[in-house]
Amino acid sequence: DTMALIHATPQLAREQLIRCAERQFLQGDVQHWWHPPNGQGVRTHFSDDFLWLPLITCRYVAGTGDTGILDELVPFLEGRAVKPDEDAYYDLPTRSEESGTLYDHCVRAILNGLKFGEHGLPLIGCGDWNDGMNMIGKEGRGESVWLAFFLHDVLTQFAELARARKDITFADRCVTQARQLQQNIELHAWDGEWYRRAYFDNGEPLGSATNPECQ
């Protein structure tokens, strides 16, 4: 939703990026939602929510030229990790004494997203934007094809932003990871006439011509 503000009210988009970065944990994941003003909310195994921060940051900088936002210092959150056998928990996290620039927050988000299954595709967690797919990876091994495309886009765009910032090492890592991900998508997600949607924990595909549903 914030992307729509970049053209009409870029200052609101800027404020929203900082606000969302404040809801990021030290490990790079974020509160899936929270209640202002205190910040009670849920920490989850969702696999896409934290990746929107680097994506929209890239779009904001490209649309406004405001590279200064990348140097804005933003604190992190601290809280217990989500247990492997739970989808989420509701709590009031604490504000960490550690802060990082918005750029640092974006890097942590991307690093947190580099978790892959046996097909080299991103782990779906308890959902990948489609909340209804919360059971596909309930055992922690399910993979998302949608998320693979999404992560590839984030890596590709952020590589350009990192290179412009002279962070060549991370830019090169993003490019290398994107290329590997593209190969894995073509090798394991293409079904012959279309791309599959996901893989269950046991390795069975979803969205394949062999499936009676979700073709």
Side-chain angles (χ1 to χ4, degrees), residues 2-213:
T2 302
M3 282 196 289
L5 300 174
I6 292 172
H7 306 288
T9 51
Q11 181 59 34
L12 283 179
R14 192 184 207 276
E15 293 171 5
Q16 185 67 5
L17 278 168
I18 300 300
R19 183 177 295 114
C20 288
E22 291 177 343
R23 312 319 302 174
Q24 183 185 43
F25 293 93
L26 286 164
Q27 294 78 9
D29 60 316
V30 299
Q31 286 182 299
H32 191 63
W33 50 259
W34 70 91
H35 292 302
N38 295 327
Q40 298 96 327
V42 291
R43 191 174 190 180
T44 75
H45 285 303
F46 273 101
S47 55
D48 74 301
D49 46 11
F50 52 87
L51 290 173
W52 292 95
L53 183 68
L55 181 71
I56 310 308
T57 296
C58 289
R59 183 70 63 88
Y60 172 82
V61 171
T64 65
D66 177 16
T67 57
I69 192 174
L70 300 174
D71 295 311
E72 292 281 352
L73 278 176
V74 186
F76 292 96
L77 295 177
E78 290 189 26
R80 75 164 177 85
V82 186
K83 298 176 182 178
D85 61 346
E86 63 181 351
D87 288 342
Y89 73 87
Y90 178 85
D91 196 10
L92 175 61
T94 59
R95 175 169 289 190
S96 175
E97 294 182 359
E98 183 177 345
S99 296
T101 64
L102 178 62
Y103 182 83
D104 294 333
H105 280 258
C106 291
V107 169
R108 291 201 191 197
I110 290 173
L111 292 176
N112 187 55
L114 303 182
K115 300 173 182 176
F116 305 98
E118 64 174 327
H119 299 96
L121 302 173
L123 295 175
I124 193 171
C126 67
D128 64 356
W129 177 77
N130 187 334
D131 299 8
M133 294 192 171
N134 60 310
M135 300 297 287
I136 289 178
K138 62 180 180 179
E139 297 174 8
R141 298 187 302 276
E143 299 165 275
S144 168
V145 176
W146 178 92
L147 187 62
F149 279 99
F150 185 58
L151 177 58
H152 182 276
D153 191 34
V154 171
L155 290 166
T156 302
Q157 292 195 41
F158 200 81
E160 297 181 13
L161 188 146
R163 202 171 301 281
R165 195 176 170 83
K166 308 301 183 186
D167 188 357
I168 306 303
T169 300
F170 193 70
D172 289 344
R173 182 174 182 180
C174 288
V175 170
T176 300
Q177 189 67 70
R179 288 173 178 167
Q180 182 62 57
L181 189 55
Q182 182 181 17
Q183 292 177 13
N184 293 338
I185 290 171
E186 296 305 316
L187 184 62
H188 297 294
W190 181 246
D191 201 58
E193 294 186 27
W194 60 75
Y195 289 96
R196 298 164 188 156
R197 181 56 176 80
Y199 281 95
F200 289 92
D201 287 310
N202 63 3
E204 292 182 6
L206 176 68
S208 169
T210 62
N211 297 136
E213 297 176 332

